[in-house]
């Protein structure tokens, strides 16, 4: 019986006409996480106006030099076979300056791309593919960059028909120079999609350049047209010289991949259990929280709403918090300091959301 | 602007609070928020002291 054979881009099997790479089996070939825009822990389907460095749909970060020029939402408009897309809607007709930059990008962790061997003579060729739709037509742009932003590969793609899903694909010969990824938990590379990038930050498409270039010269500015829409989904970055079928991962698998960088508790019910706490004084308690998956690094802590949206509960009595803070963080667990009142030192309580509140505690270890 | 946050019991530094967005940052060099804080300090800035 013949077993699988490895070709350049696909894995052939003994079953006639069956190729794992050309099919949609999960081989972890896609270096992009949440390329199908399915996971949106922070905002769900709500429309937001992202500020500089905000994370919106999981793993996707906003880079804007001017705030309030577009809104962003997880959309259910998507090409066949995809559940969601990222929807950008321009909120004005903004004329970008030479140094302006509006883009959505994803940092890829070094652990997840070091095998590309970029920055060496053995640099591998990759293909970036994605589905896009826009109310605008023309040439659009984006870029791949190293962590320092001093090696850039601007790319371009064309949307010929307005409001029609189009698949684009860009094949990129790996960079043999520059400083690139290491096998660690730092930034390995970045993939950017331009929504309006000034000439200073743009360069010729299809070639590596030393410098910070985030899109291709002359690319369409989405933020330049009031009400313009831009959808993107099915983003895949894979080794090889041609695009293969989008890698479908199970939902729980994709969510866990996202939770390495961001996870949250609460938000779905009142008096929702978050963790246990030990009272250290009459006004302070330490709450321990086990993270649902090991995070990339010890996470930062934040919470939605206000401190009084959370409470410590002793079974038949609870006292709302007046302050929350991070006390200690590791990659798989955290301890918070809860400030409240009426506690009995050395007694145990539970840490809950308060009555009528659906606020969340959030942990971020984004790149 | 940042503020130092001490453990209320031990009095030792527990985390750094970024005041603009109310994010509490661990003392951990792999954390990108902490990296940004260190860069901010290296530029000559000083956090608010713990209370």
């Amino acid at each position: 019986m013949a077993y699988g054979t490895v070709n350049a881009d696909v894995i052939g099997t003994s079953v006639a006409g069956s190729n794992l790479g050309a099919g949609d089996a999960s081989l972890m070939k896609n270096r992009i996480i949440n390329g199908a825009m399915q996971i949106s822990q922070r905002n769900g389907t709500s429309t937001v106006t992202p500020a500089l460095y905000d994370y919106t749909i999981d793993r996707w970060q906003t880079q804007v030099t001017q705030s309030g020029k577009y809104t962003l939402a997880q959309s259910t408009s998507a090409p066949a076979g995809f559940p969601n897309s990222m929807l950008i809607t321009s909120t004005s007709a903004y004329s970008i300056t030479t140094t302006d930059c509006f883009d959505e990008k994803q940092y890829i962790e070094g652990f997840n791309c070091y095998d590309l061997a970029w920055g060496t003579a053995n640099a591998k060729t990759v293909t970036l593919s994605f589905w896009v739709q826009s109310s605008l037509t023309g040439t659009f742009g984006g870029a791949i960059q190293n962590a320092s932003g001093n090696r850039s590969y601007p790319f371009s793609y064309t949307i010929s028909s307005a409001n029609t899903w189009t698949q684009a694909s860009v094949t990129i010969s790996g960079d043999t120079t520059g400083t690139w990824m290491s096998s660690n938990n730092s930034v390995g590379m970045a993939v950017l999609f331009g929504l309006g990038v000034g000439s200073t930050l743009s360069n010729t498409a299809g070639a590596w350049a030393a410098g910070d270039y985030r899109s291709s010269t002359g690319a369409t500015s989405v933020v330049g047209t009031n009400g313009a829409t831009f959808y993107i989904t099915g983003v895949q970055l894979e080794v090889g010289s041609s695009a293969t079928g989008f890698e479908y991962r199970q939902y729980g698998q994709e969510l866990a991949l996202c939770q390495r960088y961001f996870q949250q508790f609460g938000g779905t019910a009142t008096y929702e259990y978050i963790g246990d706490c030990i009272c250290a004084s009459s006004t302070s308690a330490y709450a321990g929280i086990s993270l649902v998956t090991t995070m990339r690094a010890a996470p930062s802590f934040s919470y939605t709403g206000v401190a009084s949206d959370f409470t410590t509960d002793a079974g038949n009595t609870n006292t709302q918090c007046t302050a929350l803070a991070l006390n200690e963080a590791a990659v798989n667990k955290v301890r918070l300091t809860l400030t409240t009142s009426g506690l009995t030192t050395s007694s145990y309580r539970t840490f809950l959301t308060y009555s009528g509140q659906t606020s969340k505690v959030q942990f971020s270890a984004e790149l | 602007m940042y503020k130092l946050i001490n453990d209320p019991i031990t009095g030792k530094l527990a985390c750094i609070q970024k005041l603009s967005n109310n994010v509490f940052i661990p003392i951990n060099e792999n954390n990108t928020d902490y990296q940004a804080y260190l860069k901010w300090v290296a530029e000559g800035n000083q956090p608010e002291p713990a209370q």
Side-chain angles (χ1 to χ4, degrees):
Chain A
M1 179 180 182
Y3 290 94
T5 54
V6 177
N7 298 320
D9 301 328
V10 299
I11 298 175
T13 74
S14 59
V15 179
S18 172
N19 292 312
L20 292 176
D24 301 331
S26 177
L27 298 168
M28 303 307 286
K29 67 181 177 182
N30 189 0
R31 309 310 170 95
I32 296 290
I33 295 174
N34 201 25
M37 312 296 174
Q38 197 172 8
I39 312 296
S40 181
Q41 294 184 83
R42 294 170 179 83
N43 305 308
T45 56
S46 299
T47 299
V48 297
T49 302
L52 177 65
Y53 301 143
D54 276 358
Y55 279 88
T56 53
I57 293 173
D58 275 60
R59 299 298 296 120
W60 292 97
Q61 187 189 45
T62 294
Q63 188 162 28
V64 290
T65 44
Q66 306 286 332
S67 60
K69 301 305 179 189
Y70 65 80
T71 61
L72 187 152
Q74 183 194 46
S75 171
T76 53
S77 175
F82 290 92
N84 298 104
S85 64
M86 175 191 290
L87 165 60
I88 305 289
T89 305
S90 173
T91 54
S92 66
Y94 177 69
S95 296
I96 57 172
T97 67
T98 56
T99 57
D100 268 332
C101 178
F102 300 87
D103 68 59
E104 291 295 324
K105 70 178 172 185
Q106 181 167 140
Y107 286 120
I108 300 175
E109 188 175 343
F111 280 135
N112 298 336
C113 61
Y114 71 92
D115 62 304
L116 301 182
W118 288 10
T120 77
N122 299 315
K124 294 179 182 175
T125 295
V126 299
T127 297
L128 177 68
S129 57
F130 46 93
W131 286 86
V132 284
Q133 182 187 125
S134 178
S135 59
L136 306 174
T137 59
T139 301
F140 294 72
I144 287 183
Q145 293 189 311
N146 64 354
S148 301
N150 56 20
R151 293 293 298 170
S152 305
Y153 186 99
F155 62 81
S156 65
Y157 58 96
T158 302
I159 298 178
S160 302
S161 300
N163 303 313
T164 304
W165 282 105
T166 304
Q167 188 178 27
S169 135
V170 182
T171 296
I172 301 161
S173 296
D175 191 9
T176 55
T177 60
T179 301
W180 281 91
M181 58 287 285
S182 299
S183 176
N184 62 27
N185 64 349
S186 299
V187 173
M189 60 193 296
V191 178
L192 300 83
F193 291 94
L195 302 165
V197 179
S199 58
T200 301
L201 294 167
S202 300
N203 207 351
T204 306
W208 285 107
D212 182 5
Y213 302 114
R214 304 173 191 177
S215 188
S216 56
T217 302
T220 301
S221 171
V222 176
V223 298
T225 301
N226 189 24
T229 56
F230 178 87
Y231 298 83
I232 185 167
T233 191
V235 184
Q236 178 159 280
L237 181 73
E238 60 190 307
V239 173
S241 55
S242 61
T244 65
F246 184 78
E247 178 181 46
Y248 287 91
R249 299 173 185 138
Q250 292 189 8
Y251 182 87
Q253 190 178 17
E254 197 77 51
L255 176 62
L257 292 175
C258 293
Q259 287 173 328
R260 176 169 171 80
Y261 305 91
F262 178 85
Q263 52 188 274
Q264 61 187 3
F265 300 86
T268 58
T270 62
Y271 291 120
E272 182 174 347
Y273 172 81
I274 299 173
D276 296 321
C277 52
I278 178 76
C279 302
S281 72
S282 62
T283 58
S284 296
Y286 295 128
I289 299 174
S290 295
L291 300 171
V292 294
T293 190
T294 299
M295 301 193 78
R296 182 194 65 82
S300 298
F301 160 68
S302 62
Y303 56 92
T304 63
V306 296
S308 59
D309 292 345
F310 303 91
T311 189
T312 63
D313 182 68
N316 56 2
T317 179
N318 69 80
T319 51
Q320 288 168 266
C321 298
T322 56
L324 283 70
L326 182 66
N327 186 271
E328 191 173 336
V331 294
N332 56 3
K333 52 188 173 294
V334 292
R335 185 168 69 171
L336 304 182
T337 303
L338 313 179
T339 304
T340 179
S341 60
L343 304 178
T344 302
T345 302
S346 299
S347 66
Y348 285 93
R349 289 192 168 210
T350 53
F351 176 40
L352 311 170
T353 55
Y354 187 58
S355 173
Q357 303 301 331
T358 54
S359 294
K360 306 166 191 169
V361 293
Q362 301 178 319
F363 301 97
S364 173
E366 296 283 3
L367 284 160
Chain B
M1 179 60 77
Y2 295 86
K3 181 180 180 180
L4 305 180
I5 303 293
N6 285 351
D7 182 303
I9 305 301
T10 66
K12 293 181 179 177
L13 179 64
C15 69
I16 314 290
Q17 182 183 12
K18 187 174 183 182
L19 298 173
S20 61
N21 57 6
N22 203 33
V23 169
F24 297 86
I25 303 166
I27 315 300
N28 184 292
E29 294 191 356
N30 285 322
N31 182 291
T32 50
D33 292 323
Y34 187 63
Q35 292 168 5
Y37 166 74
L38 292 178
K39 183 180 177 186
W40 180 81
V41 171
E43 291 168 351
N45 299 296
Q46 293 234 331
E48 292 183 13
Q51 293 175 334

